[in-house]
Amino acid sequence: MRVGFGYDVHVLTEGRKLLLGGVEIPHNRGLLGHSDADVLLHAISDAILGALSEGDIGLHFPDTDPTLRGIESRKILAHAVGLAGAKGYAIANIDTTIVCQEPKISPFRKAIVDSIATIASLSPDRVSVKAKTTEGLGFAGRGEGIAAYAVCLLEG
Ligand code: MG
């Protein structure tokens, strides 16, 4: 077994879609990034790559590569999952926490779980999505950005 941890942050800005776990969430702002800026899928992808000791998504999808501009983060996660499979590992489970003051995540939690499960070819009962505010503290509390944490266990 191998365990991996991932963390990511993106800035919230006007004029962008808000994607979390591959689900578009209605909000007045979205996350800024070279890709579609899906902070949750980035954290999960980094957790899987971390478990494999394969660096991080910046190594596999450099933001200096203009051909990757606007890349869908589901492709990044699918790449990490494929790499795990190629190395003889299956994902046992993924646990995540989204940190944001708003929007409220709970109405979308099930859709996000199902989306991640579909992208990673997993049963939804192997995927956990939780959301926390920071009681108004820090960049997440001020609504300046959204952070995500993820842990992934691989079985070989
Ligand atoms: Mg990112």
Side-chain angles (χ1 to χ4, degrees):
M1 291 189 288
R2 299 181 70 117
V3 69
F5 170 72
Y7 171 70
D8 197 23
V9 175
H10 281 263
V11 169
L12 271 170
T13 188
E14 287 177 7
R16 292 271 299 187
K17 284 183 189 172
L18 177 58
L19 282 164
L20 291 172
V23 175
E24 189 174 337
I25 311 286
H27 193 44
N28 57 2
R29 290 176 299 157
L31 294 172
L32 186 63
H34 185 73
S35 66
D36 65 13
D38 190 322
V39 67
L40 181 57
L41 293 189
H42 291 183
I44 295 168
S45 302
D46 265 359
I48 296 168
L49 293 175
L52 296 168
S53 299
E54 281 284 349
D56 63 18
I57 61 176
L59 190 70
H60 293 256
F61 298 91
D63 63 9
T64 50
D65 183 345
T67 67
L68 296 176
R69 177 164 285 282
I71 184 175
E72 288 189 305
S73 298
R74 61 178 62 241
K75 291 179 183 163
I76 296 174
L77 177 55
H79 168 80
V81 171
L83 203 55
K87 291 187 145 203
Y89 290 97
I91 296 171
N93 74 303
I94 295 167
D95 184 24
T96 69
T97 299
I98 302 164
V99 183
C100 70
Q101 200 64 35
E102 57 178 17
K104 203 164 175 48
I105 302 300
S106 56
F108 306 98
R109 201 192 63 80
K110 181 69 170 69
I112 294 171
V113 166
D114 288 345
S115 169
I116 294 165
T118 299
I119 298 164
S121 303
L122 291 172
S123 166
D125 68 358
R126 291 180 182 271
V127 178
S128 159
V129 173
K130 308 183 298 299
K132 300 281 172 188
T133 73
T134 60
E135 307 281 348
L137 297 174
F139 70 84
R142 292 188 296 269
E144 294 167 1
I146 295 179
Y149 298 86
V151 176
C152 175
L153 185 70
L154 302 181
E155 292 174 313

